[in-house]
Structure formats: C-alpha cells, structure tokens
Amino acid sequence: MKISTPQFTAAMIRLSPLPFVSYSLARIVTFFAPFGVLLIEQEFFNAFGIPVQRTTVWWFVAAYAAVSLVRLGCLLLECWTNITFRYRAMGTLQLNTVASALDRPGAAASPVQPLEGLNRLRDDAGEVADFPLWLPEVVGTSIAASSAFIVMWQVDAPLSLLAMMPLLLQGMAALAFWRVYLYYRYAEGKLDDAYSVLIGTIVGKAQSIRILALQSVFVSKVKALGTQRRRNALAKTAYEQLSTSNMVDVSVAISSALCLWYAVPEVAALRIGVGDLLVFFSGLSIVASLPQTWATFIGDYAQQRVSIERLTDALPQRPAALITPRGWWLSPSQRRAQRVPFEPLAQLQVRGVSYLHADGRGITDVSLNITRGSFTVVTGHIGSGKSTLLDLCAGLLDPAAGDFVWNTQRCHSLRGAPVAAVAQLPFLLSASLRENICFGSNGGALPAVITSSMLTEDIAQMPAGLDTIVGPRGVRLSGGQRQRVALARALLVQSELLIIDDVSSALDSATEARILQNLRQHQSRTILASSTRPAIVEAADTIIVVADGRVVGTGTLTELLRTNTTMQELWSAIQRPEAPRAG
Amino acid sequence: MQRYVSSASLRTLLGNSSFLSILLILTVLAGWSQAQLPALLGTLIDSAVSTTVSSVMILWYALAAILVQILLWLCSLLATHTSWAGTNALRSALVQHLVAQPVAFFRSHGIGELTERLEADINAVSGVFALSSAQFLRAGVVVVTVCGIVVASDGGTAAVLAVYIVAGVLIVAPTQHTNAALWEDERRADAAAFDTLEETLAAIPALQSVQAPQFAYEILVPRLTSRLETHRRASMQSQWGAIAAGIVNAAGWVLAAVIVIWRYRAGTASVGDAVALLVYVRLLNGPMTTFGTEYAALQQALAAFSRCDEIFASPTIRADRGVRLPAGALSVQLEGVTFAYPENDGFSLAGTTLSIPAGLHVAIIGRTGSGKTTLGRLIANLEQSDSGMIRIGGIPLVDVSEASLRQRVGVITQDIDVFPATLRENLVAYNASITDSAIDLQIAALGLERWYASFSGGLDTILGGGHRELTPGEAQLVAVVRVALRQPGLVILDEASAHVDPHTERLLQQATQLLTKERTTITIAHRYSTIEHADVVVVMSSGEIVEQGTPEELSSAPNSQYAQLRARELRGVL
C-alpha cells in the first residue's frame, strides 16, 4: 500500500491549515510586490520629459512606501508561519514514526537500519515538511510573471514576444541542467547517509577505537569520504547555479540588449517612454524566474516521492499513519496505552507457538503452561530460543503460528497484555534514575521496588540519590545496576506476569540470591525467567528445557536430571564450567 | 566577537581553506564589474533617447553582463570548494579529538547529540562560511564602487548616498546583536530533540516491556516543542534584520527618486542618469539585505563554531611523550592513585596503591560500584588519574607512547564492539601487515579452529549489519584473538559474565587461559574459577583496596571480606 504525493501533501496541509494559508497569502503578496514597483516606476519614468506635478511625485513616493510596508509585514508573517508549519509537520512525522514503532512487536527486526532510519527521520522529514510551502511559491511566481507579461504586451506586443525568446531558450537549458543537478543531489543524500553511519560508528565504538589504536584508520575514512562529498558538492553547485540564477541573469541581459536594440527608434519617436523600457527590464527578471521556480518545483516533487517512500519504509503496514494529526504543540499529549481488558491471570497456556528470526534462530511449535504464583525457568544453551520464547510471552513478538490462552480467553498475541518484562540487555534513558525506574508512571510504590531490586545501597552512595542522571544509555551505572534498574521498573508496573530474561547475568550471586528471595516473597506473583545459573534453576517450580528451538523437557530439576539427557548435559556444564587446562 | 578570534574551529577552518585568496580576488572583481553595469545602461538609454546608440554598444553591454555572470558562477564554485575543504578539515580534526577523549566524555554526550554536532553544526558552517564571507565582501565592493562611480558624476549625490549607506548599516546592524545566543540555543535544542528521538526509538522494546508507550510522548514532545519555539524565536529575531534592510531599501528608493526629480528639473541629470541612479539604489539592496540576512546565517555559523569549540575544549586523554614499552611481560605499579568522574556521582578511587610483578595473574573482585572497572580503565589509560602515579613496565604511564601502549597492552572490555567489516578486519583491527597465515596460526594456538570453521566465508565473512551476527560470546572470542595477535605484555580483562552459553563459555575460558599464559594479567573477575586460579586476589570496596593476597591466604582468614564473598557466592558463580 502506497500513499501518493498529493494525498500526503494535502494531509500535511491539514495538520496546520492556518499557518499554511497565512504563509501562502503572504508569499503571494511578496511575489506580487515587485510587480507593483514595476508599475510605479513605469509611470514615474514615463513622466520624465513632461512637466511633473509636485503632488504627482508624492503620490509615487507614497505608493512605493505603501507597497514596501505591506511587503515587509508579509516578510514577518512569512517567517513565523513558515517555521510553525514546517516544525509542526516535521515533529508530527517523527512522533508518528515513534508511534508506529510502538505499535509493532518491539523485538521483531526493524524494517530500516536504526542509524539510517534516524538520518531519514531528520533529512527526509525536513524535506517533506518543506514541500507544501512550494505551492504558494509556484502560484505567486506564475501570477506575477503573467501580470508582468500582460503589461509588457500592452506596451508593445512584438517586443514582448521578441524579449521572450532568450528566456524560452534559457528555460529549456535550465531544465536540462536541472536533471544533472538532481543526479548530484541524489548522490549527496547517499553520501550523507554514509557519513552518518561512519560518525555513528566512531562515536558509538569510541572506546574500542582507542583500545585498538584505530584512530588513524577512522580519521582517514572520514577524510576520504570528505573528499568524495566535496567533489560531489562542487558538481552539484555548478549545475544548480547554471540552471538557476546565473542563466536567468544572462538571459535577462540578452533580452534587455534585444529590447534596447529594438526600442531605439520607438523611444526616439516617443512611441515608447523610458518608463516603458524599464518595464521590460524589470518585467523580464520577474518572468525569467518562472522556469526556475517550476523546475525546482518539479524536481522537488520527484524528490518528495522518494522522501515519502524512505519515511514510510519504516512503517510498511500503514503508511498513512505517518500523517496522523496529533496536535502535539497544543497541550501535553495525554495518550494512554489502549489496554485490551485482560482478567487477573489464573493460567496462561502457550499453544504450539512458532517464531523464526531472519537469521534462522527462533522457536518451533512450543507449548507450555504457566499457573498463577508459579516460578517457571526456561533453560538451554545460547541460541536455543530462550529469548525468543520469552519475547513472545512478553508480547514483544507476534507468533508466526500458534496462540495463547489467557485463563479462558484465546488470543493470537500477548501485545498489550498486563505483562512486565526485563530484557537481557536493559535499556536506560539519559535521564534521572527516578525517571528510568518510573518510566512515566507516578511511582507510588517506588520505595518498595527499590528495596526489592536491591538498589537501596547503590542509591545511598550516589550524591544526588534518585535524581542522579545516568548518562546516555545509563553508562554511568554498572551493568549490574542497570539490570536492577530495569527490574525495578518492571516491578513498579501492575502486571499479572513478570518475565525476566537472564537478568542475573551481570549480578554477583549474593545480590542475585537476595533478589530471588524478594521476588518470591509474594505468593501470587507469577514469574517466567530464563537462566543458566544453578541457583535460579534450582529455585524453579517448573523447568522448561529448550534445545534448537523446541521444548525437550518439562518438570522439576530432580525429575529432569533423572530422565532428560539435555538437562543432565547442561547441568554438568553449568555446575563445572572449568575447561581442561591447556598444555 | 572576541571569543571567535581564539576559536580553535575557526583556525582549523581558515588554515585549510585552499584557494581562499583566489576566491577573494575573483569576488572583488565580480563586485566591481557588477557595479559598472548600471552606468553602462544609463549611457545606453541616453544614447537611445538621442538616437546615437549603435548595435556594437548594445552588444558590449550584453557581453559585459554575461561576463559578470561567469565571474559570479566561478565565485560560487570556488566558495563551495573552499567551504568544503575547510569544513572537511574541521570534521577530521573533531573526529580526531573525539577518539582521544576519555571514556567519561561519552558518559555525558549521547550518540545522537554528537552525530548531530558533527553533521548539522558543521553543515551550518559549510553552507555559510566561504559563501557568506564572499557575499559580504562582494557587497562591500559593490557599495564602494557605486559610491566611486557616483562621485565621478556628481559629488552631492554621492555624499547623500554615502550618508544613506552609513545610516543603513547603522540601522540594520543592531537588530542582529542578540542573535548569536539565540541561534546557539536553537542548535542546542535541535541536537537535544534529535538525541531524544534516537533514544526513544532505541527505547521502544523497553517501553513496551513495561506497558509504558505514553512515556515516549512525554519525553519527546517537550523536546519537539522547544525545538519549534527556539527556532522560531531565533528566526523571527533574525528576520528583523531583513525588515530593517527592507525599510532602508525603501527609504533609499524614495531618496533616489527625490534626487532624480530634483536634479532632472535643475537640468544636471539626464534620463539615463536617473535610471542609473535608481538601478544603483536597487543594486545596493543586495548588500543591505546581505547585511541583514547573511549576517544571520553567519551568526548561526558562529554559534556552530562555539559548539565545535566546546568539543575542542574538552581535554583529550593526554599528550604523548613517545616512550616505548619494553618487550616481554609487563609489571604494573599504582601509587596513591585517585580518580573521580567529572560528574562526581560517587564512582571514584581514593588513593589506590598496588604492585603487580611481571607475569603475575591478578583477579580484582568486589561488588558493583566498588571501583574495579574504573581501576582497569585507569591502567588501560582510558581515563586519567587525578593524582598519583601509574607505572607500566617501570615507565610512568603518562610518558608511554599511545602506539606502543596499544600494541603492548591488550584490553578486553565487557561489551565487545564488532565493526561492520570482514572477520579479517575485525581480527587484525585494520592492520594490513598481519598475514592470513598468522591469523590461522593464532586461531589454532588458541584452540578455536572448530569455531573458526563455522564462518562459511572464512576471513572474508562480513560481520554485522544483516550479515553474520555474532553472539556476545562469539564477540568475546573475536576480542581474544584480536588481542592475542598483538602479542601484548599485559592483558586487562573485564570479564563478561553475561549472556555466554556453556559451550562458548568453555571455548572462551580455554582461549583466555592460552592468551594470558606468561603474560601479566589483570582480570576484573566475575567467575569463581578465575579467582581460584589467580596468583593474587585483590578485593575492592567503595573505591579502596580492602584486602589482597593469594586465594589460599585470603580464604584461610575467616573474617576476610573475601571469605564472606566466597561463602555467599560459591554456589552461584559460574
């Protein structure tokens, strides 16, 4: 499903119609102003040679001042409305991209590479938001140009046609040069993308670059790309200038010369006044800007399609969602997650669920039961599908086959179910510790969850306590602290099922044991965890052994150790991980 | 303006702007010839009125006009070239500076923010720098030439014109005074919005995990609002410059019209002179508007400069004194080393002293936040101590050349970065002098042949970016081979306890043992086996070393922290 450029543009105009209409009016007036000046100058210079009344002079001056004042007023209005329109549209596109990502299962592969997607969200969103503002430009120039031509025609029809000849040629040449220019502009977009990715790599992997002494490697990559970008920019500018200002001015000069050559006998015979001659000089400039504006518009129209496609790539299912009006600039957004009513959990059945990632990892035909108050641990080697199974139960993936039964209610996916999950790699925002735990909720139970997740001591050590800013991605915290923050966040949510993906991986075992103890204090809390740590596997009510994406055993540790070979193998591996000493 | 004189970015930019002088000469030429055209036109009109005009004269006029355009075209090409040459140098310099930052720098600057600075900020500079300066210069030349031409024809008019120009500049300039700060705010708000956008998109699974999608809007909307508002505020302020220029231009027209009428009546000017004067005033519109609008663009560029300077001002890790580390295993000594992160958020070292003889295996243990990771970073020179002395192989760390340090000291961090490149490039770390056979030998020596055989494309297998993705455990293996290929004398290993499956875990332990054999090794330990097989165990707590000794010594002291940690962790730690 695609969305056409006119549809898209119309939707963007509907986002903030008032700024758009005011901008358009102001812009058209601005384009019309030179035409007004032209009329005034025509009368003014035609008056030379005949006795001019003193009052007439002041009329000219007054008319000119009035035109100027209106134009200046429009300039202010233009600026305000232009920015308001563009930034509202840009913000809406960006918010909607986030919104659509929130509507997708978060653990599924994103349709667009993150860094590239980000670059698109800036450049293409800017490009797209700018486009509707070209419409008044085209309308304004066209009206001004036709009016100027009519005045020229009235002065001298053959001369006006003669003067148009160089302009026509110029218009054709401009379009040809514009094509070449577009090629370089497209190439520029590609190079900019490559540059973003490179800079993102350098900034994101700065520590490794230092450790491996790769500074010069990456600096020379930056330099090489810089040279490429410079060459491209040079070619782009050359053709851009040829198709716009320079050619326009050259053709105006040629046309002016033609006019002079034609007009000499007419002026001498007083059939054409000096003011009329000036009408030609000024009028030509106005008309000459027409092909350029149209060429830019046509080029931008093509570019617009590309940009819209690049933006909607990120939301292939519902591209129209990109332009959902939000009015975010009006008041704080009060959107709440639309919760499908889920009853308190008594039993969750997972029935024959499958999901495969693009690289072939995943799970096939997995079934299991989780009852209220139970502690279920999924275990298995890495790549066995533990995380995929947990992501499915957390509603972060939609199964390709199979379904869930929540008590008695059958559902295809658990998206939106009252489940709270702690990921293997916790994500922290560059905000305060408090915000990172609350994640927008009011945090009434904050003290309790801080205790449960063993953060009390850590917070006491921080000078700003809960208001400590944790830095980008929480870098100022240790791996274990980050995991405990993510746990606290999940505990704060009123959930029916708590899912923990290998959370203790960065915790020392004392902390791990205490947390486990805290979690199990509540009899009614239902927990589904994945782990290969003996302490956790031992504590489980039910263990689910996964291998190669399938469940190969379910039961208590004692049962499994007696009957299940995979479990026996795994258990000995995690109990005695010691490799034989080399040599 | 004062602060821009000492701007590091500006110096880098100007120092690398090739053809700047040619650009300036051409610009002067273009401005001068542009100013000649109206006079030529005036003469032509007078000749037309008196029917003495010849086709040749008209042809000359057209040619002159075309020549001016060619000059202007060349100017814009040169300006583009100069801008890019200069800003490319600035980009490289900034990147060079960034990769020399201590790790702490990246604790307070996000990827989105830095990317934005290195892109949007410098783009703001490149669009403006040479182009705007050239336009400014041309505007100046046009003004001076116009005055010169008018002086030649009529002194009185020239005087009025000069007063007009001075008054005009005096009216336009003050409207621009407060702008730099506003544009700086705008740049900052823009970078913040972009950073938050990047962060929000990355946070989506986390937001979904706790059913908090609305939080995305709560954090993003204020940033978008502030981006809109700061941009609008700055633009409106700058727009006053254009308005002032517009008023001055309109006044200029009126002035010229009055002069023209007056002189025409007095018989001191022809129609041609009148046209020429009005065209001149219109020609001055350009420079006036330039002062008004390009000045704003220049302000934006200056704001971007000062933001680049902020990065330059952030001190790099150290100056290199070029001393090479000796061959063989390296000893490590720390004497009273103190360190606190710039944010002073409680993670610090308080006067650590430690001596590790060459070839020894040391395990550092302690609870999270005890300072063990920081200690490793300080020895690896990823952070610099506030006071005290660190010696590696007997040489003060501050004297050791960066190249020698990275060659002789291997570091394996918790999270291993895999570069979007081939397996070979990842293993040799872009060092083309390491041959494939050397890599094969090293892989065999570490006992990783079977794992290596799983790469279908061999060393040419492309890693990451939708190609072969490595598990965190495999990334660790890559890091071990990477470090082993450099034959270091000291290995600093921040042991990753996370997300490694038992099979890879065994491979990793074996490879690590082979790597660290006969090499000084400092392990920030999470595994009990590592601790048990260490020669010396160092126990840290709250940024201090509280105990050290052999595992046997420490475990025999019943009240030691080590014994307590051990008793509690024995069962759980892998």
Side-chain angles (χ1 to χ4, degrees), chain B residues 4 70 92 110 173 194 198 201 222 244 250 252 269 281 310 330 339 363 408 430 474 531 536 541 545:
Chain B
Y4 298 116
I70 292 176
S92 313
F194 194 60
E198 187 268 342
L201 282 172
V281 170
E310 276 172 33
L330 297 165
F339 176 78
R408 302 286 298 126
Y430 297 95
E474 286 182 313
I531 300 165
V536 172
S541 177
I545 294 176

Side-chain angles (χ1 to χ4, degrees), chain A residues 41 84 94 102 104 106 122 196 208 210 212 226 268 335 382 417 421 430 472-473 505 538 578 581, chain B residues 51 88 99 107 116 119 198-199 208-209 211 214 227 232 282 381 417 486 497 501 529 533 571:
Chain A
E41 285 184 350
T84 308
Q94 292 170 342
L102 279 167
R104 262 198 319 272
R122 183 185 50 209
S196 307
S208 295
R210 273 180 57 75
L212 299 167
R335 270 179 55 112
I382 201 152
S430 159
R473 301 287 195 269
S505 55
E538 261 176 4
E578 210 56 20
R581 279 260 179 199
Chain B
T51 66
N88 272 345
V99 291
R107 288 155 69 96
E116 182 72 0
E119 287 194 330
E198 187 268 342
E199 198 174 40
Q208 290 174 332
S209 294
Q211 314 295 332
Q214 80 286 352
R227 178 175 68 180
R232 197 164 54 195
R282 199 180 297 163
N381 202 33
D417 285 326
R486 303 187 160 217
S497 55
D501 66 302
S529 62
H533 290 106
R571 288 195 52 75

Side-chain angles (χ1 to χ4, degrees), chain B residues 532-545:
Chain B
E532 202 164 49
H533 290 106
D535 298 320
V536 172
V537 176
V538 172
V539 185
M540 291 195 67
S541 177
S542 308
E544 282 178 63
I545 294 176

Side-chain angles (χ1 to χ4, degrees), chain B residues 179-187 231 234-235 238 296 299-300 303:
Chain B
N179 281 7
L182 285 178
W183 282 112
E184 237 165 277
D185 285 349
E186 189 270 350
R187 288 283 85 218
H231 187 91
S235 292
S238 298
Q299 296 269 349
Q300 283 188 56

Side-chain angles (χ1 to χ4, degrees), chain A residues 163-180:
Chain A
M164 280 304 121
M165 292 317 229
L167 293 190
L168 262 178
L169 287 175
Q170 176 261 326
M172 270 149 48
L175 285 177
F177 286 130
W178 190 259
R179 290 249 161 90
V180 189

Side-chain angles (χ1 to χ4, degrees), chain A residues 24 50 103 105 112 115 139 147 172 223 242 248 260 279 294 303 309-310 376 414 439 508 518 523 554-555:
Chain A
S24 302
I50 47 172
D103 283 342
V112 181
L115 267 178
V139 173
S147 314
M172 270 149 48
K223 280 186 180 152
L242 278 180
V248 170
L260 266 177
V279 162
W294 274 95
Q303 178 67 34
E309 265 172 37
R310 280 161 59 92
T376 311
L414 287 180
F439 250 43
D508 56 64
N518 293 340
Q523 300 278 306
T554 308

Side-chain angles (χ1 to χ4, degrees), chain A residues 313-382:
Chain A
D313 272 354
L315 47 166
Q317 272 82 39
R318 288 197 318 121
L322 193 62
I323 34 183
T324 316
R326 290 190 173 274
W328 51 267
W329 52 87
L330 297 175
S331 60
S333 171
Q334 290 301 319
R335 270 179 55 112
R336 286 267 145 193
Q338 292 166 356
R339 284 245 174 122
V340 188
F342 276 86
E343 297 165 19
L345 182 69
Q347 190 194 35
L348 175 67
Q349 281 175 273
V350 180
R351 302 195 302 190
V353 160
S354 301
Y355 186 91
L356 288 182
H357 289 280
D359 60 358
R361 290 177 305 115
I363 57 166
T364 320
D365 195 20
V366 165
S367 298
L368 55 101
N369 274 344
I370 296 166
T371 49
R372 185 173 192 84
S374 68
F375 181 42
T376 311
V377 172
V378 182
T379 191
H381 289 289
I382 201 152

Side-chain angles (χ1 to χ4, degrees), chain A residues 421-501:
Chain A
V422 187
Q424 205 175 56
L425 291 173
F427 185 92
L428 270 73
L429 296 166
S430 159
S432 71
L433 203 55
R434 185 193 308 279
E435 281 173 286
N436 267 297
I437 296 174
C438 292
F439 250 43
S441 76
N442 59 21
L446 198 57
V449 302
I450 286 173
T451 316
S452 303
S453 46
M454 298 286 293
L455 278 166
T456 320
E457 240 178 81
D458 305 78
I459 293 171
Q461 276 176 14
M462 298 176 195
L466 270 172
D467 295 315
T468 305
I469 301 292
V470 301
R473 301 287 195 269
V475 282
R476 293 184 203 169
L477 304 186
S478 72
Q481 285 172 327
R482 271 178 262 166
Q483 285 189 323
R484 280 175 285 141
V485 168
L487 179 66
R489 185 193 293 161
L491 289 175
L492 198 60
V493 180
Q494 297 296 317
S495 71
E496 291 295 314
L497 172 62
L498 180 64
I499 294 183
I500 306 174
D501 194 357

